[in-house]
Each structure stands twice: as C-alpha cells, then as structure tokens.
C-alpha cells in the first residue's frame, strides 16, 4: 500500500454485497447510475474530498471490482457475509496502517454522498474530537431507516426501524451509513462488537454503544443533501437512482446555460462538462468524461463517450467514442467515430461514415458511405462516396497517409499501406495499391464498353447478365 | 366450425365498433396497444384461459379482422349497429352449436381483461350455477360506468350511469362489459330482449332483467385488476391504454431483473420475454414475440421484432426483424437484419450493414457498409468495407455460398449465384462472377496507372477528369 | 416602409432583451420553442390576426433578428436599455406613419399570445373607443406579475407586484404585457412618461396613469388563454415553454386522429399539419411547415423538416429536409433526403441511402448503401447496392439523367454528367463515364482471374496480398 500516511485520512468502502435482488451476475456495487458503476461514484466523491487512500471490502465474487480502482488501492475480501461490522474487521491491516488517523467508512451502493458532505463531516469530527461522526439526513419519510437519537450534542444511539418504539420512530433524522471514525477507536471497538442478535451478525452501528459505554464522543453531521441516504437493492431502486441523478445533472446543465428541448430519454454523465449555448435534443446520451464546447447542436440518437468536442460542432444522430472533434466540425447523420479518431476544425463528416483510429485534417470532407481506418489525412481533402480504406488484409493492419488537398474519387479502395501526396487525385472506381505522387492522377479501372440492345435481349431471353 | 364441443367453453368477442372517433379507416378493435391490435389482446387472453373456440362479431367494414384469427374461428357480421344485444344475436348459430355450455362475451376494445380473471369468473359462475356472471371491478371514480346493484349474492340490476339515482351512483362496483353466460339461458334471453328505449337498441345488460324475472341466478365476479374496464374510444384514450400497458410491462421487466436506465420512449411488447441482467436503453422498441437472453445490451434507437436474441448480445441502434442472433454477437450501430437472417454466436456486424435472408457463420465479421442478401456464409469469414452481394439481376434473385475462413476484399461485388470455397480470398475492388475455389485468390480489376501532374493541370485547366 | 396605411393596424414587437440569463450569444427572442424562435411565434400570431405591418425594436446586438422578418418590416434600434416605454419611443417614426390607427404592442419573448386573443382585444378596444386596451389573464398564482386594478369597466391602474399592498396582491387578473393603443394617444403619452423611479427607466405601463389623468378610457381584455403571460428568462423557463408548447400540439394532433404511441421525446412543430390515421412513434421530430398525409408511419429517430409527405408513406428512422415524398413511398431505416429531393409515389428508399437535389420516378427502388445527388431518375428503375453518383469532380457539380426502367448494378459509379436511356443496364462494379443508350448494357471492369492456392500461401508466407 502506497500513499498512506499514519495519522492521515483514508476511506473504507464496503462493497461485498451481491446483486441477488438485482438478479445480476455482477457485484451489486458495479450496477450503474448514469453509466457509472455505483462504487465509482463513491471512489470519485472520496477523491474530491481529498481522500485518495482507499480500501475496498469485496466479496469473493467481487474480484471484478478491482479493475475500477487505481494501482495502490487496498482490497480486503470478506469470505462470509456477517454484517457491516464484520466487513470492516476484514480491513484490519488497512486500519492498522492508518493508526492515529481518521477513516471514512461508507457503503459502495449509495452513490449520492458528496465531497462537501464528507469534508464538512470531517471538520465537525475533528473539531469535536469525536470517536465517531455519523453522517445523517433529515427526511420526510424515515420509514425503514435507522433513527439518530441525540442527547444534546452527542448521539446516544442509532436505533433500527424494526427496534424503534413510537417516540423514536417520530425522529426524522436518519443514519446515512457513512461514518468518520478515529482509526484507533474503531480498531478497539471492532474487537468489542458482538453478534448476539437474531441474524448473528456484527453491526458497525454497534460501535456507537461501545463509544457511549466508554464515554467517547459520538457526533452527527446532518447533511443538506437528503439523497445521501439513497441506495438501490433491486432494479426498481436502481431505475429511481438513475432518474434522480439525471434530474440533478439537468439542473446543473440548465444553470450553465445549456439548451434542453425536452429531457425525455436524455442521459448525461455526471462527469460531463458542457458549455453554454449548446443544444441537446431529447434522446442524446453523453457518457463518461466528455467535454462539449459552446454553441454545439447534438441531435437525438447521438451517443458521445469520453470525447472532447469543440465549439460550434454539429453531431447529428452519430456515435463518438474516445475521440476529439475540432471547432465547427459537422458530423452525421448516422456516422460513427470509433476510438482514437481526431477531427481538425471544420471537418465535415456526412452520412454513413466510419472513422477509426485516424486523424482528419482541417476542412476535409468525407461526405457519404465511406470508411477511413488507421489513416492520417491532410487538410481540405475531398472524399467521394463509397471510399474504403482497406486497412486489413486478413493478417495485418496497415496505415494510409494522405496529403493536403487530395481528391479521392467515388468507390475508391485505398489498399494500406499506401500514400497519396498533396493534391493527388484518384479516379472513381479505382483500387489504389501503390503510392500516388503529389498532384498526380491514379486510375485503375477498365474502359467502358457498351453492348447495344443487350438489356432488351436480356429481359426477353433471360440470359445471365453478369457472366 | 371445428374444435367445438357441446357443453364446452367458448368466447364471443364483440368487434363491430367502427373507428369513427379514432378517425381511422381501420376497424376500431385493430387499433394497437404496444403494437398489438386490441382484439389480439382479447384473443390471447381467451387462449390463455383455455378458450380456443372463439366467435367474432364484426361489422361489414371489419373484414380485415379475420386475418388476425386462426383458421376455424367463427365470424358473424352485424349489418346494422343496434346495440350489444343485437350484436350477440348475430352469433346465434355459434351459440346453438354450443348449447349446454358456457360462453364468455366480451368487448374487443378493452384489452386489459386477463386470463386469471376469466378463469376465476368461470369458477364462480359454475360453482354458483349462475345464468349470468358479470365481471366487475371496484374503481375510485365510477362516473360513466354501469353500476352493479347487488342483493345479497345476487346481482339485481346493472344500472347505466345516466339512469342512476344518487344512491346508485354512490356504488363503486362497475360493469366491465365481460360476462359468462349459460349458453341456453343466453339464447332464450336474447329472444326476450326489447329495443323499447331512446336509441332503439338491444342491450346485452337487459339479460339481467330477464334472468331476474325468471328467477335465474346472476352473479358478479369482482376482479382485482381494475384496468379490465378500460377501453379506448379516441386517440387520447388509446394513448392512455398504451401508457398503462407500458408501465405494466416495465413492472414485470424490473421484477425479472432487467436493467432499465430510463423508461422514456421505451416500448416493450407484452409478448416479449427478456432475461435478467439485460440492459434496455431508453427509446428501445421491442415488438411481437421477441425473446432476448441475459446480459445483453440494447441501445437507444434499436427496434427488434419477432426475433430470438441470445445471451451477451449487443444491439446498438439497429433494427432486427424475424431473425435469430446467437450468443455474444455484436450488431451496429446503424445496421439492419431483415427477415430470415440467422447469425451464429460471436458474429460481428458493424455499421451500415444490411443482412437479409442469410445465414452467417460463427465469428464471421461484416464490419462496415456491406449488404449480404440471400447468402449462406461460413464461420470466421472477414468481409471488408463496401461488399455487395448482387443477388438480383433485374429478373431473378439468386443465392451466394461462401465457405469458412474466406476473406472478401473491400468493395467486392459477389454476383449471385456464385460460390467461394473455404479460405478463398477476393482482391479489393473485384467483381466476382465465377466460383472461387478454396484457398484461391480471385482478382478482377485493372492495374493502377499514375499520370504525373495530371491533377495540377486539371485544377488549372478544368478539364473533365473522369472521361 | 411599405404596406402601411394611416389609420390601419400595426404591431410593435419589443425585442431588445439580451440573452444574458440564457447564457446565449443570440438575442433572447431568438431562443427557440419547438425549433421556432420566440419572436417568430409573435410574428405569425400577428399575421394570423391580420397585422402584417410590423415594427421590431431591437438592441444593437440584435441585428440577427432582421433575417427572421419579411422585406418591408420596420426596425428600430434601442441603444440603451431604459425600460419598455423607452423601447417604444425608439419606434416613434413608425408610430407617426401610423397616426390615426391602432397599434398592438407586445413582447417578443412571450410566444403563447394567439391570434384570436389579439382580434378579440381589438374588437373590445374599438367598440369601447379605448386609448389603451391591456390584454390580461386570470391566473392561479399571480406572484410576480403586475395586477390589473379595475374600476367598473375601466382599468384604473396596473400595479407591479413589488409595489402592491395585500389587497392588490389578492387580485388574480394580471398584465400579459400585450396592449392595443390608439397610436395618437400613445405618441402623446410617451412624451409625458417620466423615469423618476428606482431604476431610472421609462415604463410603458405608466401610460395607464397618463390616460387616467387625461380621462381617456383604459380597458382590459381578459383572455381565456392563460399561457399568454408566459415568457422565458433562462434555460429552465425555456424548457418549460417547450413542454407546454409540445402538450398543446399533442392535444391538437390527438383531436385530429393522429396516433401517438407515447409522447416521449416527440417534438412536433406548431406549423406542421398531420392527417388522421398517421402514426408517430416516440422520439420523432417534425420541424417547420411540414405536411404529412394520412395513414403514414413515422418511426423513432426520424427528423422531418419543411417537407411535404404524401399518404401511406413509411419513414423509418430517416431524415428528410425540404423535400417532397409521394404517396406510398417507403424510406429507411437510416436514410437521408437532403434538400430538393422529390420522390414520386411508390418509391422505395432502403437503408443507408442519401438522396440530394434529385427527382426519383415512380416505383423506383434504391435499396441500400447508395448516393444519388443532382440527378433525374425515371420510373421503375432498380439501383443495386453501393451505387454512387460522382456528381462532383473537385471543381464542378454536374447532373445525371437516367431514363425509365434502368437497372444500375451494384457498386456502379455514375460519373456526372452522364445519361442512361430507358431500360439501360450497367454491370456491377462499372464506372460509367459515357452515356448509355436505351436498352444497352454498359460494362467497365476487368475479367476475373483466379490464382489457385494463393490465399493458402499468403496466410503461410504473409506476402502483401494487394500489390
């Protein structure tokens, strides 16, 4: 484990739940909200609060979770599901390494905690020199949640709904499942937890009793963000989290001056950044860390993922993945930029065009029904209809290089590797297998022959026309 | 009429309403809810309740309805619209053939009756030896519906809203329009119906009076499914039925562990079956008897109709009709499988690809801008960009056969009928008109000629470049 | 200024607001509702009420607005923002030219005024010989709006919310911001307005005080359309206007017998006309003055703009702009008609087809992956897959002419300008550079050569296959 500092801050994320009620083969915390696994929301909120030193408690079936965290993240495996307290016990080595510090313990399936809440709770936790600071929220309907019983500044108990009497059920301040602990207190308290209850489980909330018994301070930080308590246990709950997250992103976009015609079917990643005066149609999907400049128009059916789009760009019912698009470019309808496509400003990509792992120079036009793969194309080129870069010969992938101001005729095949110089021209219907010098014409096709009356005879006699 | 058994069960579906308020040329019962004509919902609910012996009362303009029922279904034509009682009278031959049995009478434009309600009502009907058992529901707002007046176990009257006094209007149990009748009683009662009312029509509900007068039992079965009373008279009503039906399907999908990001624009057929852990994006449309396996991802803009999709399949903004797709196949974006396409497991169909009436072997890749029609393609083949099967010569459609491990170069034309052996290779830009043996290369193109400086001169002198 | 008649009707549209809170570079009144700039709603409502003589007050940054009005429209530029009264003062020349008449003054950013309200208010205004007639509405929540204080038939004051006491705040009749003025009164009143208030602005509503002082009549016309008061100041407000406008259009469509499966993501222009029995899927976008006949099916992802579509047409996830489509045509999925495409009845356009500036004759089929630009195509032609019209040679655009009953083989290039006669036939893979007579076959390709075992050797030795 690197990056750990004795006495510093760390986070312990509980992620051993399975997806049984989700009916998913994936670990529950990998269920996605706005295309982002729930646990990645937690990971990022902790990072935003300045806590990069993280430990994740996973189940034996949760190995897939490791791939979502950076090198150096600690993992502990909980072999049996014996409660939240038991889960934290599995991370004892991590806690020992952080003795003297404070650790944030939180659930991997409650994605709406936020960095500000984490920080504010820490401020309170340290100022009050608390052993435990529980993060709480006041909600209208607390049914089902653990109630926060306060005694002046102290939290005297967290009472589960099932165990609560009427007086306690009337309390609207509830446990969010997120806690700051003094690490040293937590290690000691874990050793004192019992499992003498109906389920035979160790509950993390029982640390409050330990603290109370020991006269240690337990504080509550009540967040203004009520959504922090929300988690998902089944597909219905997950759908609700998605709906809430969508609305929150929309609010942010509208405040930022983004033009939304209707939010129906619109899904925008929480990590996307969109400049003012850009219009998103309904049904647009923006995934991942996409950035979109100002004055763009993105129409229905477009899907943009982890890409950087300039200003005044039009994306018309097209898909863009891990690519960059320069200012003023126009794309679509019905086109695709596959990963590592880089379009300079002013490029025009028309309909039924695929670009893959290629750079396209300024103001080049690829208007229709073409495929450009593994190629470097210059500025101001014109691609006719039906151009194909034959970048794969069945064994190897090769690159094409095309200079500036080239003209590629319709249904040209460019058999990679091949280079075209500046101002080169290929005749329609040519298959180009050798380099074409600048300003030269390359032609590779047969001359036209006309057979008079052939067609009339064919229709009459039904000969085979193509042989 | 076949399949009829004296004393058995049968159903009489009233479908003579016109689509006037729908402003449709089609008979009203053919208006669709989730892409399924309303009368087909009724047909299938009856089948689910075990009643395959059906008679449909249509109007002279309703001939189109016949096509939606299997061979052996009985039809009666109601020449004039003179009420529900009159409609049933037209089916007298059908009733006579079912003397001694029980007949379900229901409306063809109230699609949310259900098989369980039909069966439960029958159980009550038979146990009570009722002449009539009316299917009812208790609704919050009964305005406009006929009220069920009970006298102990018996139904003493069904009073139309217009005819009801305040006491009767306070009744919330209403007539759904679905009835079980003893056939013999019904035939007798029909002969006693009068049309001595404002509209001069024969009302089926007047059979209750006949029964009461005769001392025969009338029972009511109150269904827990309140939607059974819902019908549509105009486009607004039809839209509402669609909304209700969509929500019901979504509930079922969520319970089954299907992952819905947002239900906006999502429409799933009531007859579709989707396995857990499959994700449907907003804006997906699933029609007919489609089956989709587990772990699939179906993205916005996809339309799948009457198809069978395996597990772990990706369908990205593509359309699939009456086809099958094997496990692990990836399709799209922007592709189409037309009827009778059969993709083996692991097939990759990229962008701008149309497959029609063809089989594609395991792990074959058709990555971009290609058309494969009327062909049988082996496993592990690679299709370059722009491949066209010329399956039509203006007179006939012909098939192509391609072996395993073939490589089809970019912009190849395969002029059907033509065969390529295992491991055959076609050069980019070739038009293949003759069979290619296994492991052979077929090439059909001119050699490349380069004309130096031609392009520079062309740009200067504006000669015609292509002639 | 033309078309003006002393003593006639005219309209003064206040459009000098900026888009600051919209965070838009465009003038605020150009923000769009259902793809129509707000000020164009006003322009059209005035025209519908018979007022073609219009003057628009713009800001120095609002020059772009001029392009949205016909020749002959008057414009006045308000150099500083000093209130609505000051805005009207800028149009003094326009008012002078209309002395003796009545002028409608209204805001350019409240798009839901309507022609009937304008006309009814004018009728009242003239009948009552009012100096001012303010158009009002009664709303549930008048917070923030100016209240209408009536004294019998007269309006004695319009009191801004901020200045209102409790008694006046209890008034629910509010100022919509639309007024009829006697032009002569208005000119006089403007000269009497002061700016002796907190903001130092001239308020148009202060003309009511001028009238009251002068004993002139001020009347109020209370519209039944409450939406007339709605405007948008920010993106959230604009989204709301879009939602309201969408619902209004849907209501009209449903009444007209249009079949809507779900309104999610559906956006239909207020200027579109759609016949009964046509089905719109969710996610369809209809822009501008589009007309669609009866019995059509328009599926999700389709975008139709300023086009005329016949009856019984299918548009399947395709885009159509400024084009016409004849009865019974079928288009898509995934095709595009660019401007000036004209399809005769019965045309079939399949998938991945672009048509641009071309006419296509009756029953012609362009089934897949083709581009037809700048061409005139006859009836009953068949285009194979991958046909490209090479209409651009890098310098000029040229046209192709194709007769009736022609057959264009797969991957044919038609190098424009070129003509094909009736019944002409091109062989698959041919590049056609010279005219083809009627009933002739044109062929331009190399013969196929087969190299046995080449492919097997290639896979073994990894030679370059294409050179």
């Amino acid at each position: 484990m690197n990056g750990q500092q004795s006495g510093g801050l760390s986070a312990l994320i509980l992620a051993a739940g399975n997806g049984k009620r989700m009916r998913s083969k994936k670990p529950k915390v990998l269920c996605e909200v706005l295309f982002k696994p729930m646990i990645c929301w937690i990971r990022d909120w902790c990072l935003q609060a300045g806590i990069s030193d993280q430990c994740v408690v996973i189940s034996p079936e949760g190995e897939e979770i490791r791939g979502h965290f950076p090198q150096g993240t600690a993992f502990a495996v909980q072999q049996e599901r014996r409660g939240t307290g038991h889960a934290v016990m599995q991370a004892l080595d991590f806690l020992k390494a952080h003795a003297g510090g404070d650790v944030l313990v939180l659930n991997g399936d409650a994605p709406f905690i936020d960095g500000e809440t984490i920080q504010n709770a820490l401020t309170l936790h340290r100022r009050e020199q608390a052993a435990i600071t529980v993060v709480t929220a006041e909600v209208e309907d607390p049914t089902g949640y653990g109630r926060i019983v306060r005694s002046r500044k102290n939290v005297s108990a967290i009472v589960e709904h099932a165990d609560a009497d009427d007086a306690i059920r009337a309390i609207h301040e509830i446990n969010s499942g997120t806690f700051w602990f003094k690490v040293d207190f937590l290690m000691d308290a874990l050793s004192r937890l019992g499992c003498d209850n109906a389920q035979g489980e160790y509950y993390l909330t029982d640390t409050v009793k330990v603290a109370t018994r020991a006269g240690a301070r337990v504080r509550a930080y009540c967040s203004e963000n009520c959504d922090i308590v929300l988690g998902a246990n089944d597909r219905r709950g997950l759908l609700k989290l998605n709906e809430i997250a969508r609305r929150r992103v929309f609010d942010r976009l509208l405040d930022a001056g983004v033009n939304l015609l209707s939010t129906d079917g619109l899904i925008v990643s929480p990590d996307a950044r969109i400049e003012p005066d850009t219009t998103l149609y309904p049904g647009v999907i923006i995934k991942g860390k996409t950035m979109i400049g100002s004055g763009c128009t993105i129409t229905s059916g477009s899907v943009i993922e982890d890409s950087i789009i300039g200003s005044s760009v039009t994306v018309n019912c097209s898909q863009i993945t891990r690519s960059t698009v320069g200012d003023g470019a126009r794309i679509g309808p019905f086109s695709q930029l596959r990963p590592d496509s880089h379009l300079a400003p002013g490029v025009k990509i028309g309909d039924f065009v695929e670009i893959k792992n290629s750079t396209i120079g300024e103001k080049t036009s690829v208007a229709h029904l073409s495929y450009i793969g593994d190629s470097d194309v210059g500025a101001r080129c014109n691609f006719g209809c039906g151009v194909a870069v034959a970048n794969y010969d069945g064994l190897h992938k090769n690159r094409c290089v095309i200079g500036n101001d080239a003209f590629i005729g319709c249904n040209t095949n460019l058999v990679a590797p091949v280079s075209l110089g500046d101002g080169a021209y290929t005749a329609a219907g040519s298959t180009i297998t050798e380099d074409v010098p600048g300003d030269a014409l390359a032609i590779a096709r047969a001359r036209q022959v006309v057979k008079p009356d052939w067609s009339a005879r064919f229709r009459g006699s039904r000969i085979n026309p193509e042989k």
Side-chain angles (χ1 to χ4, degrees), chain A residues 181-443:
Chain A
F181 287 100
K182 276 189 184 162
V183 173
D184 296 350
F185 165 79
L186 178 58
M187 287 191 292
D188 180 63
L190 289 174
S191 70
R192 297 173 196 277
L193 288 188
C195 60
D196 186 15
N197 52 46
Q199 277 74 36
E201 296 193 343
Y202 297 91
Y203 297 128
L204 186 61
T205 46
D206 283 350
T207 57
V208 172
K209 291 178 196 158
V210 176
T212 304
R213 240 178 271 135
R217 290 177 176 174
V218 182
R219 292 292 185 263
Y221 173 75
C222 186
S223 175
E224 288 186 8
N225 171 6
C226 288
D227 294 342
I228 61 171
V229 305
L230 300 175
N233 289 315
D234 57 16
R235 297 293 182 182
R236 200 167 271 106
L238 194 62
L239 175 58
K240 265 183 208 157
L241 292 190
N242 271 286
E243 289 295 335
I244 290 166
R246 282 175 69 207
R247 301 292 149 199
R248 287 159 61 125
V249 173
F250 297 154
D251 277 339
R252 186 165 55 73
L253 295 178
L254 290 166
D255 287 341
V258 175
N259 189 30
L260 305 181
L261 312 180
S262 156
T263 60
D264 293 348
L266 178 64
I267 305 182
V268 180
S269 160
D271 300 320
R273 292 291 167 269
I274 304 178
E275 298 284 316
D277 231 2
T278 278
T279 296
L280 303 182
Y281 280 44
V284 164
I285 291 180
I286 310 283
K287 299 181 176 181
K289 292 187 190 299
T290 291
M291 296 178 64
I292 300 178
S294 65
C296 295
T297 301
I298 317 291
T299 79
S300 304
S302 296
V303 181
I304 305 179
E305 179 169 4
D306 288 324
S307 294
I308 298 175
I309 311 294
S311 293
S312 303
V313 170
T314 297
V315 180
N316 182 357
C317 195
S318 293
Q319 301 196 358
I320 300 175
T321 308
R322 295 204 301 280
S323 292
T324 62
V325 176
D327 294 348
R330 287 165 296 153
I331 298 167
F334 311 120
S335 281
Q336 184 182 200
L337 305 190
R338 289 172 58 200
D340 295 309
S341 296
H342 302 286
L343 272 51
V347 165
K348 188 203 159 181
I349 302 294
D351 43 15
F352 326 121
V353 174
E354 175 184 337
I355 310 285
K356 190 209 82 176
N357 186 26
S358 295
T359 60
I360 310 289
E362 212 162 323
K363 292 191 180 165
T364 282
S365 168
V366 188
H368 9 233
L369 292 160
S370 292
Y371 167 60
I372 298 178
D374 303 324
S375 296
D376 297 297
V377 178
R380 299 173 304 279
C381 291
N382 188 86
F383 283 70
C385 172
V387 175
V389 171
N391 57 320
Y392 180 55
D393 62 14
L395 293 176
H396 338 78
K397 297 239 172 179
N398 294 297
R399 286 192 85 79
C400 280
V401 177
I402 298 174
N404 297 324
D405 304 298
F407 182 97
I408 319 296
C410 293
N411 278 317
T412 294
N413 295 302
L414 299 172
V415 180
V418 82
S419 291
L420 276 67
D422 290 349
Y425 199 110
T426 73
S430 297
T431 295
I432 303 301
T433 55
E434 292 163 36
D435 290 352
V436 182
D439 290 330
L441 165 71
I443 185 163

